Amino acid sequence: DIAPGQKISSRDLAKRLGMSPTPVVQALTRLEHQGLVRRENNRGYYSEPISIKQVAEVYDLRQTLETSLIPKVIENLTSENLETLRNSLGAYQQAIKDAHVNDCLLKDMDYHLTIASISQNETHLQVLRQMFDLLYLRNRGSVLFSIPSDKVDKEHVAVLENLASKNVKAVQEILSTHIADKKQLVLEGLRRMMAEKEETTF
């Protein structure tokens, strides 16, 4: 809900969340270390503006990281975690039907993280979580969710089907294309949003 470059009042945020200012300041400090907010002396905290370069880099790293985990995911795949994946996909599909953008983003993230978690590579999973934080906490949902939902749904289904049949190459190709396509559309959306913002300032 906080726009890029917007000032963040820790007191107002604490009041809105119904908690004391201390944990809010602690959370803002952690977000500062992640590069999501910045603190200016005697002025307070501000959300960091969007960096197209960083968004592109995060998607490139996601593409490399997620596809590299697939052989281990398939090696560790069981009927139980396959069912967990089906439930995660079902939750995403329900979010599409409800047409709630933020929920779609969260369910999309959960689906990708659920796949990655099956690899049992905790270090890679932690890095992937941080990448989703950078993408989803810094950028507006309307920009990030710019790919037609039916296309995303078909790709998610195809990933699940090929995981179930243990087709490593097919899953990697689908995931790679899925992330690359999303990167291009998100970057186009960000450039368009920035151009519109520049126009309104004149």
Side-chain angles (χ1 to χ4, degrees), residues 42-110:
N42 302 318
R43 296 190 65 189
Y45 289 92
Y46 292 80
S47 62
E48 281 285 35
I50 292 169
S51 164
I52 288 181
K53 180 176 180 292
Q54 186 182 43
V55 170
E57 290 172 350
V58 171
Y59 272 105
D60 288 343
L61 186 53
R62 266 194 65 191
Q63 189 176 20
T64 301
L65 184 59
E66 290 192 53
T67 55
S68 72
L69 291 174
I70 296 306
K72 203 65 180 176
V73 168
I74 288 179
E75 182 182 324
N76 295 334
L77 198 64
T78 65
S79 57
E80 288 78 13
N81 49 40
L82 195 57
E83 185 62 25
T84 300
L85 269 178
R86 289 193 182 97
N87 291 335
S88 179
L89 177 59
Y92 171 78
Q93 292 169 329
Q94 185 59 51
I96 291 174
K97 291 178 182 178
D98 295 340
H100 193 285
V101 173
N102 286 338
D103 198 32
C104 285
L105 284 171
L106 291 174
K107 301 306 182 187
D108 174 76
M109 176 180 69
D110 180 70

Side-chain angles (χ1 to χ4, degrees), residues 122-191:
E122 290 301 322
T123 302
H124 285 192
L125 185 59
Q126 184 178 5
V127 171
L128 189 57
R129 284 196 183 103
Q130 290 173 350
M131 285 191 283
F132 274 112
D133 283 347
L134 286 170
L135 288 172
Y136 287 13
L137 294 180
R138 180 172 286 179
N139 303 292
R140 295 181 181 181
S142 57
V143 175
L144 288 170
F145 203 69
S146 54
I147 294 181
S149 57
D150 58 339
K151 175 176 169 57
V152 176
D153 189 29
K154 286 178 182 177
E155 290 171 346
H156 282 177
V157 170
V159 165
L160 182 59
E161 290 174 346
N162 283 281
L163 280 173
S165 62
K166 300 186 183 298
N167 191 332
V168 173
K169 187 176 179 180
V171 176
Q172 288 177 322
E173 288 177 353
I174 296 164
L175 264 182
S176 183
T177 301
H178 171 68
I179 296 169
D181 288 349
K182 190 157 192 176
K183 170 191 166 184
Q184 292 305 315
L185 285 170
V186 168
L187 293 180
E188 288 171 12
L190 289 174
R191 292 188 184 102

Side-chain angles (χ1 to χ4, degrees), residues 140 192-202:
R140 295 181 181 181
R192 187 167 55 251
M193 185 182 73
M194 288 180 173
E196 291 170 356
K197 186 177 180 181
E198 287 180 3
E199 289 177 2
T200 59
T201 59
F202 292 102

Side-chain angles (χ1 to χ4, degrees), residues 30-50:
R30 181 177 176 184
L31 290 172
E32 182 185 12
H33 292 154
Q34 290 182 271
L36 294 167
V37 302
R38 72 180 186 280
R39 184 173 63 85
E40 297 184 4
N41 290 335
N42 302 318
R43 296 190 65 189
Y45 289 92
Y46 292 80
S47 62
E48 281 285 35
I50 292 169

